[in-house]
Amino acid sequence: MERSPLSLAQSLLRCPSVTPEEGGALAFIEGVLKEAGFEVHRPVFSEPGTPDVENLYARYGTGEPYLLFAGHTDVVPPGDASRWQYDPFGGEIHGGELYGRGAVDMKGGIACMMAAALDFIRANPDFTGSIGFLITGDEEGPAVNGTVKLLEWAKGRGERFDHCILGEPTNPNQLGDMIKIGRRGSLTGRIVVEGKQGHVAYPHLADNPIPGMMRLLEGLLKEPLDRGTEHFDASNLEVTTVDVGNPAANVIPAEARATFNVRFNDLWTPHSLEADIERRLREAAGNTVRYALTVEPTNAVAFLTPPNDFVGFVADAIKAATGSQPKLSTTGGTSDARFIVKHCPVVEFGLVGQTMHQIDERVAVADLDRLATIYRKVLDSYFAA
Ligand SMILES: [Zn+2]
């Protein structure tokens, strides 16, 4: 059976696995990996209020070290399929590019991981370590019945991973641009300032909450949170909305609300950040502004996989296959890596992200071959070390 990255990617793209549908994608992976000698499990996780989700865990070998490939087969909906040049679930190739929802995010990446692992095992059937796949069907949706539970499930079975590669599309423009060695954390907070409603012509009988809200927001924004660290940009607090909802020009409103989100680096924990935000608001409010702050619970904590041998293997493989020295970055949104890092060091490297979640999502066929070559080289150096 042909197991090129391209044919694997085409088969995966033809599975309509829009979250939470399995769509045949995990069944396909199960078949291919089993044939290659992997032990494969398909745990289904449930949670009240969310759809049941299928997942896949596979392992080849029993020894150490254990390198884990992680990813997701679920995809975001294609949107209006008639606006696509080609069927979003057709896996068609045109002009050297493979089209389909998930081409880069991230069925293409999974296909490359599979092709690399199968090729490595064929060439080294008696290698002493283990290669695993941790594939969820719940990354693009609520992300409740996916990676977190799958990791806990594996841990409960006694599985211990040494390193992980997550195949999200990390490259902004060209294959080889960027490895993610960490991610910033995310914290959302809401402020309510209490006033007293009244007639604008009689302000002494009212209490306008808007000037108070302005003072609080100014207090939040006046000093930078930090100046960044060796591998992280400066943390950033962004006010995302300020709402009074007052349709009348002659009424002083009773209440003002604001929401902010912070993307924070490794100088902070959610707890220390919340304490600093509280301090800023307290100082800005003085004795005059009556307000309440609520901070949403977050599981998005900043983390860093320090540039070590493992990151070096990945960077060297990229350099050898593409000629570019990848940037070691911690930019962008959150990813499932924030959950994996609690179990083992993780780096993220995959395809070029330009068309992810877009109409006509596509990947250059040449990139699939090169990414498979990169993963293959990582396996070589990892198990040779
Ligand atoms: Zn993704």
Side-chain angles (χ1 to χ4, degrees), residues 66-145:
Y66 187 177
L67 180 60
L68 184 68
F69 286 111
H72 62 90
T73 48
D74 62 322
V75 293
V76 295
D80 181 357
S82 69
R83 291 183 57 208
W84 285 64
Q85 288 188 70
Y86 310 106
D87 180 358
F89 298 107
E92 294 179 39
I93 302 165
H94 297 274
E97 294 186 298
L98 172 64
Y99 284 75
R101 174 57 82 226
V104 294
D105 186 12
M106 57 162 281
K107 289 173 170 175
I110 291 177
C112 295
M113 293 170 166
M114 292 169 71
L118 299 190
D119 194 52
F120 177 84
I121 290 167
R122 204 158 35 233
N124 307 275
D126 301 320
F127 78 106
T128 52
S130 300
I131 299 174
F133 284 86
L134 186 104
I135 309 290
T136 176
D138 188 26
E139 199 271 345
E140 304 284 13
V144 167
N145 294 312

Side-chain angles (χ1 to χ4, degrees), residues 350-366:
L351 291 162
V352 177
Q354 258 171 12
T355 59
M356 59 184 169
H357 295 209
Q358 292 183 12
I359 300 250
D360 289 333
E361 181 175 347
R362 60 194 180 276
V363 60
V365 172

Side-chain angles (χ1 to χ4, degrees), residues 328-339:
L328 306 182
S329 168
T330 57
T331 56
T334 61
S335 78
D336 272 0
R338 71 186 190 273
F339 306 126

Side-chain angles (χ1 to χ4, degrees), residues 15-28:
C15 302
S17 53
V18 175
T19 328
E21 296 303 326
E22 184 269 333
L26 295 177
F28 172 74

Side-chain angles (χ1 to χ4, degrees), residues 187-190 294-298:
L187 187 82
T188 295
R190 297 174 204 282
T294 43
V295 171
E296 289 182 4
T298 183

Side-chain angles (χ1 to χ4, degrees), residues 204-289:
H204 55 288
L205 299 177
D207 175 15
N208 193 337
I210 296 174
M213 178 61 86
M214 290 164 68
R215 278 174 60 176
L216 295 187
L217 295 180
E218 201 199 341
L220 275 186
L221 295 169
K222 155 172 88 176
E223 295 289 335
L225 286 162
D226 56 61
R227 304 195 186 279
T229 64
E230 188 183 354
H231 295 288
F232 283 88
D233 291 339
S235 302
N236 180 56
L237 185 150
E238 209 63 38
V239 177
T240 50
T241 184
V242 180
D243 302 293
V244 178
N246 177 18
N250 59 353
V251 175
I252 291 170
E255 189 180 271
R257 295 172 171 269
T259 304
F260 61 88
N261 177 266
V262 188
R263 295 300 161 115
F264 58 93
N265 62 32
D266 55 345
L267 289 172
W268 302 95
T269 65
H271 191 73
S272 69
L273 184 59
E274 185 176 343
D276 192 67
I277 288 166
E278 279 171 356
R279 176 189 62 78
R280 287 168 184 247
L281 291 178
R282 206 165 46 236
E283 288 175 10
N287 293 322
T288 50
V289 185

